[in-house]
């Protein structure tokens, strides 16, 4: 058998960690969608809240980036 | 020198196998140049760029404020001019009305005076004419009385009757009167 | 070096991470502390671009701005308003610092989008220094302005008393995770975007799917332009938020 079980584990782990990026996408979509529905209800208040929107998106995305980073580390560094 | 070479070899190995981002040997280089870059950018921004842009923006704001103030002033002036125009118009109207009323009153007075004078003249003439007519009528009545008396005297004398002057006269007067 | 190592694989080979290798610009020696590397070159180019935009672009000081001057004024107004709105009026003294961060990140990100370029902000070393600088600034400013009162940031007085120690632990952890997430967010976004573009570009070697690959690269590139700006914006606005915590720690 070529390779070893550690190599296999690395790739499987990287693939599983990459799923986290997808869940972060759900989170970002949730933030943006809720912002939009709120903004359509009260468009006059929406303008002042775009900064909050971006902060929320950034926090949601950072966690996805963490899982992406874990995948990269498994692929290249471990 | 030897350690450097070993580091380089290690760096090359790390670069080819792992993530370039986790290659510790390049960190000092990147950090050094990053700090240089940030200091240069900070100095350029804080000494030259930002004060300049701030002054330009302040100047523009000042110009805009001045322009708005000037526009307000001109607007106020225009409003004043309009008010003055309206006032002048109203004054002129009032003046014109007054002049018209005055002229009318004057003319009325003149007309009244002329009318009164004419009336007085007419009255005087009428009175004079009436007096003349009365005189003429008086004269005519006297003449008729004379003629009637003379005629009656002649008729009575022609009849051969003694003339009673007084009776004739009374009879004529009665006849003329009646 | 890397090409030689990968050279004999042949066929469909992706090396999406090769674009991030730091190598000397002149010669092929080791990367020492003062070596002029491609990172140095692209950082210098960042300085040149910022100077062109903000110094040369505004040299006319025109009352009615030219195009470049409008862009410079737009950037100035954008960051100034952000500092004022998010961090408060008394944070205006930090405006040049925040402007420096924003301009450096936004220009590094955009220059990194040029083909064959090197993205300095995709390196964790660079973003970690940026984030640590922000973290240290915020912590020092917080203690200098508020003294021990700055620790009130971790003591949530709005919560019920039994919960407060637990919340304090969580707050302290989240406070120290800030620079980590702050730096990894930026580096990770940049790295991920460029690696994805490279992977899609690698598919172009297969003739049958190369049109799809080119379309995908175009689409991802457009997304990356957006992400480049948004990440710079997010980094800056989070700096402002942290600064607000330092200046007004009452929760």
């Amino acid at each position: 058998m070529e390779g070893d079980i550690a190599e296999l584990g690395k790739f499987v782990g990287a693939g599983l960690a990459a799923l986290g990026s997808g869940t972060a996408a759900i989170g970002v979509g949730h933030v943006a969608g809720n912002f939009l529905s709120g903004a359509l209800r009260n468009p006059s208040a929406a303008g002042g809240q775009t900064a909050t929107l971006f902060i929320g998106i950034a926090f949601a995305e950072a966690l996805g980036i963490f899982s992406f980073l874990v995948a990269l580390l498994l692929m290249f560094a471990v | 020198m030897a350690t450097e070479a070993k580091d380089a070899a290690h760096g090359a190995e790390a670069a080819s196998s792992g993530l370039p981002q986790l290659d510790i040997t390049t960190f000092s280089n990147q950090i050094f140049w990053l700090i240089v870059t940030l200091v240069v950018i900070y100095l350029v921004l804080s000494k030259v760029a930002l004060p300049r842009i701030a002054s330009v923006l302040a100047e523009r704001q000042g110009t805009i404020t001045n322009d708005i103030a000037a526009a307000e002033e001109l607007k106020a002036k225009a409003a004043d001019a309009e008010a003055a125009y309206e006032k002048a118009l109203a004054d002129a109207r009032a003046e014109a009305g007054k002049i018209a009323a005055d002229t009318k009153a004057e003319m009325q007075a003149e007309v009244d005076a002329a009318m009164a004078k004419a009336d007085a003249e007419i009255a005087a003439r009428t009175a004079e004419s009436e007096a003349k007519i009365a005189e003429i009528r008086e004269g005519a009545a006297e003449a008729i009385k004379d003629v009637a008396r003379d005629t009656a005297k002649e008729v009575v004398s022609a009849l051969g009757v003694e003339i009673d002057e007084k009776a004739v006269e009374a009879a004529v007067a009665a006849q003329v009167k009646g | 070096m890397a090409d030689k190592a990968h050279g004999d694989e042949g066929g469909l080979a992706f090396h999406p991470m090769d674009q991030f290798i730091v190598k000397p610009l002149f010669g092929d020696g080791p990367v020492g502390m003062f070596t002029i590397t491609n990172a140095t070159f692209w950082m210098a180019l960042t300085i040149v671009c910022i100077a062109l935009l903000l110094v040369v672009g505004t040299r006319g000081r025109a009352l009615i701005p030219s195009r470049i001057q409008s862009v410079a004024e737009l950037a100035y107004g954008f960051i100034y308003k952000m500092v004022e709105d998010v961090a408060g009026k008394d944070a205006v003294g930090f405006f040049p610092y925040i402007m420096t961060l924003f301009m450096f990140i936004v220009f590094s990100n955009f220059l990194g989008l040029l083909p064959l370029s090197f993205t300095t902000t995709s390196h964790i070393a660079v973003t970690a220094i940026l984030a640590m600088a922000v973290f240290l600034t915020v912590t020092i400013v917080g203690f200098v302005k508020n003294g021990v009162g700055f620790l009130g940031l971790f003591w949530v007085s709005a919560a019920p008393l039994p919960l407060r120690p637990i919340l304090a632990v969580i707050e302290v952890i989240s406070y120290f995770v800030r620079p980590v997430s702050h730096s990894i967010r930026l580096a990770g976004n940049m790295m991920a975007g460029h690696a994805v573009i490279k992977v899609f570009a690698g598919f172009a070697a297969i003739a049958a799917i190369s049109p799809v690959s080119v379309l995908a690269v175009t689409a991802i590139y457009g997304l990356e332009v957006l992400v480049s700006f948004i990440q710079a914006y997010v980094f800056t606005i989070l700096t402002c938020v942290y600064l607000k915590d330092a200046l007004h720690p009452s929760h």
Side-chain angles (χ1 to χ4, degrees):
Chain A
M1 209 160 90
E2 229 179 316
D4 52 15
I5 198 81
E7 197 79 358
L8 175 74
K10 248 168 72 172
F11 287 131
V12 171
L16 286 176
L19 289 179
S21 308
T23 55
I26 296 175
V28 171
H30 208 69
V31 172
N34 278 338
F35 175 79
L36 190 61
S37 66
L40 287 176
R41 262 169 226 263
N42 188 3
S44 56
Q49 298 305 317
T50 42
T52 324
L53 167 73
F54 280 114
I55 292 174
I57 285 181
F59 277 124
E61 196 181 15
L63 301 174
I65 294 289
F66 285 165
S67 65
F68 168 75
L69 199 76
V70 169
L72 278 182
L73 287 175
L74 285 171
M75 284 285 287
F76 294 102
V78 175
Chain B
M1 190 68 208
T3 51
E4 261 182 30
K6 215 172 83 186
D7 278 353
H10 177 252
E13 192 191 318
S16 63
S17 66
L19 270 179
Q21 275 87 348
L22 299 177
D23 184 359
I24 307 278
T25 52
T26 64
F27 275 19
S28 60
N29 177 274
Q30 292 192 55
I31 290 168
F32 171 72
W33 288 113
L34 172 69
I35 289 168
V36 170
T37 307
L38 286 184
V39 168
V40 169
I41 294 176
Y42 183 82
L43 289 179
V44 166
L45 287 188
S46 61
K47 297 282 177 246
V48 186
L50 298 184
R52 187 187 288 177
I53 296 176
S55 75
V56 168
L57 289 181
E59 198 179 320
R60 181 171 312 142
Q61 196 57 47
T63 311
I64 289 171
T65 313
N66 283 347
D67 283 1
I68 288 174
E72 288 291 337
E73 205 173 299
L74 288 178
K75 206 171 162 189
K77 263 188 199 162
D80 283 357
E82 199 184 344
Y85 169 74
E86 289 289 344
K87 192 166 168 292
L89 205 64
D91 282 358
R93 267 205 197 112
E95 187 81 3
K98 196 164 149 249
I99 288 172
D102 281 358
T103 315
K104 205 171 165 189
E106 208 170 289
M107 278 166 78
Q108 192 62 46
E110 252 169 47
V111 166
D112 283 354
M115 212 104 135
K117 201 174 153 204
D119 277 355
E121 203 161 301
I122 289 168
R125 286 220 185 132
T126 309
E128 201 175 309
S129 304
E130 268 172 6
K132 256 183 199 166
I133 290 168
E135 200 174 299
I136 289 169
R137 194 180 275 161
E138 200 72 19
E142 276 302 310
I144 289 170
K145 226 185 250 181
D146 281 353
V147 169
R149 200 190 297 131
D150 288 349
T151 313
K153 268 182 194 168
E154 285 303 317
V155 169
V156 170
S157 65
L159 288 176
V161 184
E162 191 63 26
I163 300 170
D164 186 354
E165 287 249 350
K166 283 204 170 127
V168 168
E169 251 175 54
V172 168
Q175 281 298 314
V176 168
K177 209 183 267 171
Chain C
M1 298 174 278
D3 289 336
K4 226 186 321 178
H6 294 303
D8 48 0
E9 285 172 26
L12 192 65
F14 302 122
H15 309 300
M17 296 301 160
D18 284 1
Q19 57 181 323
F20 302 122
I21 293 171
V22 178
K23 46 183 176 286
L25 203 58
F26 308 108
D28 199 18
V31 178
M33 190 166 174
F34 306 113
T35 319
I36 307 231
T37 58
N38 49 358
T40 315
F41 174 72
W42 287 99
M43 283 179 192
L45 213 57
T46 311
I47 300 178
V48 170
C49 287
I50 292 173
L52 277 180
L53 175 64
L54 292 183
V55 178
V56 180
T58 59
R59 73 187 182 288
R61 295 166 182 266
L63 216 55
I64 296 158
S66 61
R67 281 185 204 180
I68 298 179
Q69 195 184 328
S70 310
V71 174
E73 282 167 11
L74 213 63
Y76 181 97
F78 180 62
I79 302 301
Y80 195 87
K81 195 168 167 296
M82 190 198 292
V83 173
E84 221 176 39
D85 288 355
V86 179
K89 288 245 192 282
D90 44 352
V92 165
F94 293 96
F95 169 62
Y97 176 58
I98 292 169
M99 186 80 176
T100 304
L101 288 179
F102 177 77
M103 293 314 285
F104 174 72
I105 295 171
V106 84
F107 270 100
S108 292
N109 290 354
F110 278 136
L111 286 174
L113 281 174
L114 296 175
L116 297 177
S117 70
F118 174 84
T119 320
T120 49
T121 41
S122 71
H123 272 261
I124 196 76
V126 171
T127 57
I129 291 298
L130 292 173
M132 280 310 291
V134 169
F135 179 76
L136 289 178
T137 311
V138 165
T139 311
I140 290 168
V141 166
F143 276 114
V144 167
K145 286 239 173 187
N146 307 294
V148 188
F150 183 55
L151 292 175
L153 184 65
F154 306 118
W155 197 251
V156 188
S157 46
L161 195 58
L163 274 178
R164 284 184 204 172
I166 306 166
L167 281 178
V169 172
I170 295 173
E171 287 283 333
V172 168
I173 292 174
S174 87
Y175 187 78
F176 282 98
V177 166
R178 274 177 183 182
V180 177
S181 72
H182 207 179
S183 59
I184 288 182
R185 180 183 302 116
L186 178 56
N189 264 299
M190 287 299 106
M191 197 200 324
H194 287 75
V196 167
I197 289 180
K198 194 81 173 192
V199 167
F200 274 112
F203 279 118
I206 303 170
I209 57 168
S210 61
V212 182
S213 159
V214 169
L215 276 180
V217 168
T218 313
I220 298 283
Y221 194 93
L223 181 70
E224 277 308 292
V225 171
L226 190 69
V227 166
S228 291
F229 180 76
I230 286 181
Q231 288 308 316
Y233 175 71
V234 163
F235 193 98
T236 319
I237 204 165
L238 284 178
T239 305
C240 292
V241 170
Y242 297 160
L243 207 55
K244 190 195 80 188
D245 280 350
L247 296 172
H248 317 280
S250 51
H251 244 280

